[in-house]
Amino acid sequence: MAGPQPKRAGANTAGESHVDRAGSAPSVPPPPQISVEEVTRLVKPLNHGHIIGIVSKAAQIHPDINDVIRVMREKEQSRVLSGCSSDAFDDTFEEGEEDEDEDKDERSKNHDPNGLPCITLCFGGYSDVGYDEINSSLIDNIKILTMSDSFSKVLVSGGTGFVGSAIVRALAQKYPDVAIIVIDQSPPRPQHVLPDNISCIQLDITSSEAVINAFRATKPNVVVHTGGLIPGLAERFGRQLEQKTWKTNFEGTQNMLSAAQQTGVIAFVYTSTCCVVTDDTSNPHPNITEEWPSAVRSTIYGESKAAAEALVLNASSSKLATCALRPSVLCGPGDCQLLPPIHACISKYETPFLIGDGLNLWDITHVSNVADAHILAIENLVSTRTAAGESFFIQNNEPITFRDLCLAIWAHFGHIPPIELRIPESLAHFAGLACETVTRVMGTRTTLSRGTVRDACAIRYASGEKAKEILGYEARMGIEEGIRLSCEDYASRLGVKLPAENTTRKIWPM
Amino acid sequence: MGLLGNAVYYTFHPMQLRSILQWKVWHNPPHERNEKNETENQKLCFKFLDKTSRSFSAVIKELHPELLLPICIFYLVLRGLDTIEDDTSIDLKTKEPLLRDFKDILTQDGWNFTGNRPEEKDRELLVQFACVITEFKNMKPEYQAIIKDITDKMGNGMADYCVKAEKDDASVKTIEEYDLYCHYVAGLVGEGLTRLFVEAQFGNPALLKRPRLHKSMGLFLQKTNIIRDIREDFDDDRRFWPKEIWSKHVDNFEDLFKPENLDAALNCGSEMVLNALEHGEECLFYLAGLREQSVFNFCAIPQAMAIATLELCFRNPEIFKRNIKITKGDACDLMHQSTQNLQVLCDTFRRLTRAIHKKNTPKDPNFLKISITCGKIEKFIETIFPSQSAEAAQRKATGELTAAEAKKREEDAENKQDIYFMMALMGTIVAIVAGLMIFTAWMMGARFDLAFKELLNGNFRPPPKQLEHPEL
């Protein structure tokens, strides 16, 4: 046994230098450290008599791992170190090859495409344990563990809101070890449920002093900035809330970004909106990509979000990686922007009226898919960072016409328009203008305006290829299911019961 | 419909007549068959092609000479196979070996088959099948290998189906079985044709690496025919609609044809159309990979006909009563559009997809699924032929103008100046005429000064008349 000892020592030395080299990479952060306790905890459940090796990569990161190996060897649970498949550790790989030759044992390699550290276990050929399953399970645990180490503390602004609370719920579910701090101007709301162990700080993000104090007190390393002001339907296409919207959406983002830079945050995910492009309603937006420019003539909401997004993306650096997600029109539990106005058309007897040709496609997203996208963005920014400085349209990739969306929602509430009256867009445009004039004179509110007419006739869906390619985003919740769940949630909030599904329908036995 | 009926019909449908004349007079085939150089055997093969295929014959004959005869033979071989499979008068013991060994029969000189019942309409093809075998053996070995391979797979698939039909009922149970059946009878044809196209270098070799595409080409056509032929098949005691679909709407297949179940039948039909429409995207993808015009025409025409048929069948009660077809005028119009280029075909697909979309109703349990599928087809078309580009949007945002736009803007400015000049001129004329009229009136004694004074005093109406003598 005296012979192999010097070889292992040499491998350790080479590994150390490789680690140093990886650490000096300009845009990739150094791989996070795995503690001996963690490795032991993970390996312990795999207490099979046939475990014969453990990755030397971990040993290079932690020289103390040899203690674990010694303990396992004393229990006859392991014999040799094995190599790993990472390109950065070629020397170690060769060393592993030699070890493999000596013992003639089969080895399984697991290579994480993001370059995260991983553990490789070897099993003897006589083992009947499915080592692929064990290694796969172990790799998943390692990934989650290292992710948790990378962003141990996440701050979510707007966390009590519709999108923010969905992000918090998804994050808490996937990464239970991560500490989540929510900052918002309003306290948690009953329709937006938050997990129990979330700490909330009530503050206004337009106050830079309050924001920086919160950052210093909590020291987050990842920030998700979702907080913002979305004008309601009545004010959306006017300019009444211009100052307030700009202050919240742009200056608030400025404060968040400045605080993040000052307190050493490593990743910043900004929740932008597709409206930065699509609110230019003088043009249709079919199958747009992220290369499309921001709207020239836009709503105050679109303008403020576009300015904030540009600010965030330009701030991306090696210290602080940023990206922006542009969700499309959203539905889901707690929605108060999409379903309520459409549902209100039933009681106002507006459902038969169809403006335009009714063929304009929209891509609506369920909020849980947007939450998934945010988690994927966080994971990317703390690992490969290929998403840094980029914006992404997030949608369901199932475009349907706006008219069909309305018809589906009404059908869930048991209403089907008996007739369909088509109104030319130009006529509706003048009706909207008339309503705007009356509103301006009388000082009242109305839902009909030139803006709502253009909005209802707009084409707005994106290609979605960039998010799929870089983030690996796929909509898990289909739009049909999403609409159904949203209608059920809204019905329960209204205190009404939805009519039962088509009783004549039978389910094919699967 | 007789000659007089036709005359009356086209009097009231002039667009249909126009489409027919347009196709007959103006269509320029990319290639034309040269009959002078053909052997008697080849002429006989083309005669059989005309007899057995009303729709495909004309399109096959326009193919490039390199593929004209191979595809004709391929068609006749599969038609022969199908004629054996379709004939219910042949017992299984005889039928099964024929189907499984058909690929070897292709190399037996002089082989023929006289066992079909006299009513089988394509019987004569098998009686004189020797001419097909002769031409098959005269083809390039590469083409022979492809046709032989497909014949083998299809023959085995058909034999399996016949055996299954003999043991238990021949109806299709699951959607998976439905797709498998369509694959054997149509998907394999797509595979064979694709290999022939690539072998002849008329198609992108990448098409071979994506078998889903050519499989979709075949399944789209076959499923369309199954949907349209529902009544005809029912009358022949055959059923191809999967039980997994129709059992959601009715308890028994026969119930689809009862008037009281019309709503359920329409919903079932639309679910069948939805199932077929899911292949639309891949069909367009496949057609984008074809390089030669006649091959494109050959593939595009059936697909355009298929989606037009789906549009006709969608939520149409008539499919449960009789066999419905596209009108001849519409067919000519579709053939005209399909033989231009991919973009024109995509426009046709989009128009017909939107027509299906228009008929969709929220009463249908699959309302949203149909909407999503139509949306995906439209999105795919938008992907390959964008109606606007990011570059154009960038230019518009920055205010930069292309040469054409700058010229157009100059012309608009000139037009605007002309309009202003015309308006000024009209205003001047109106002022002069008005002045002349007022002056003339004054000369004739009009008292404008009195009228003006009264208006200033606030008297807008003439004073009421006072009666001098009450008794009068």
Side-chain angles (χ1 to χ4, degrees), chain A residues 284 287 291 401 404 480 506, chain B residues 247 357 369 371 383 388 394:
Chain A
N287 212 40
E291 293 167 10
T401 60
D404 283 1
E480 190 175 10
K506 292 175 283 290
Chain B
S247 67
H357 195 189
K369 287 190 172 72
S371 185
T383 302
Q388 55 183 2
Q394 292 277 1

Side-chain angles (χ1 to χ4, degrees), chain A residues 60 96 105 121 135 150 199 202 234 263 293 327 329 365 443 450 452 489:
Chain A
Q60 289 145 25
D105 287 314
L121 301 182
N135 278 322
S150 299
S199 51
Q202 225 171 313
T263 58
V329 180
T365 312
R450 286 173 296 170
T452 56
D489 170 82

